[in-house]
Amino acid sequence: MRLTRIFVGQNLVSGKGVGIPEQAGLHLTRVLRLDAGAPVTLFDGTGGEYAATLERDGKKVWARVGEFTAGERESPLDVTLLQGVARGERMDLIVQKATELGIARIVPVLAERSVVKADAKQRERKREHWQAVAIAACEQCWRNRVPDVSDPRSLGDAIAALAPESARCLLSADGAETLTSFATRSRGKPVVLLIGPEGGTADNEDRYARANGFVACRLGPRILRTETAGLAALATLQAIAGDFA
């Protein structure tokens, strides 16, 4: 039987009881109609997972934590996605599928051509929403470590926070290098992918990225939508230098 996997945002300890997040509890009891004694799998994002047994106390849903398993399903390729913020469900799709494809971290970039604008309060709300999307994707794809989703920020701030030794790729239809070549020569290094929003990166953003170590790489002759480009590039990197081989 395929076990239901649940992320719990606190350290798990075998033999202890732990509360199940409210939304997850409602899904387990009302949608899946699980009752006390049902087996579930818990993970806390620090690696590995725990067998557990569902318990109920009136409306309260919790679990008894059981045996720990140290198995990991993380990619050996450390990739950061600098993603120009896309509208609504497109951004959710990017976060969800990038998580499934093994992304290490996602930095939403408020690019010049981003349709979405946000003040400080809205940025935090969006970050929390996208982080929840990543958590749900981890539950589904059996990852035990949740990729970090940062708050939306400017391109300058996003680049300033990058590791200096990272290999940096700006996906561009007229790139001088193929993504395949970039992936091959970047083996062993953390990789950064920069993807523009719906309207692409502006000329000044393109110049700024190249001045800060980004190499323009092409991925075929066609122009890809923002919700396709990063995912296609990530899958290519995983096939060449990650765990798809």
Side-chain angles (χ1 to χ4, degrees), residues 32-165:
L32 300 181
R33 298 185 181 280
L34 299 182
D35 210 338
V40 294
T41 299
L42 307 180
F43 65 104
D44 59 13
T46 61
E49 60 194 19
Y50 293 80
T53 304
L54 195 65
E55 302 289 351
R56 297 188 66 176
D57 182 7
K59 292 184 177 181
K60 183 180 179 181
V61 181
W62 57 287
R64 178 68 63 184
V65 183
E67 183 179 359
F68 173 74
T69 300
E72 292 291 355
R73 304 176 185 93
E74 295 304 297
S75 171
L77 189 59
D78 182 342
V79 183
T80 298
L81 175 62
L82 269 56
Q83 173 65 52
V85 176
R87 287 178 293 182
E89 293 183 358
R90 293 181 181 180
M91 192 67 184
D92 288 3
L93 176 71
I94 292 166
V95 172
Q96 180 189 68
K97 300 309 178 186
T99 299
E100 292 177 24
L101 289 167
I103 199 73
R105 62 197 62 81
I106 301 171
V107 181
V109 174
L110 293 169
E112 185 175 315
R113 294 176 180 170
S114 290
V115 176
V116 178
K117 308 297 179 184
D119 59 26
K121 185 175 182 180
Q122 291 170 326
R123 292 182 189 189
E124 177 57 23
R125 188 162 59 245
K126 288 181 180 298
R127 188 204 66 77
E128 291 176 352
H129 170 74
W130 293 326
Q131 189 70 73
V133 171
I135 287 171
C138 285
E139 292 175 337
Q140 181 275 325
C141 74
W142 287 45
R143 285 184 69 175
N144 290 324
R145 295 183 186 271
V146 180
D148 177 66
V149 182
S150 76
D151 58 290
R153 59 189 62 180
S154 69
L155 179 60
D157 288 344
I159 291 177
L162 297 176
E165 71 276 13

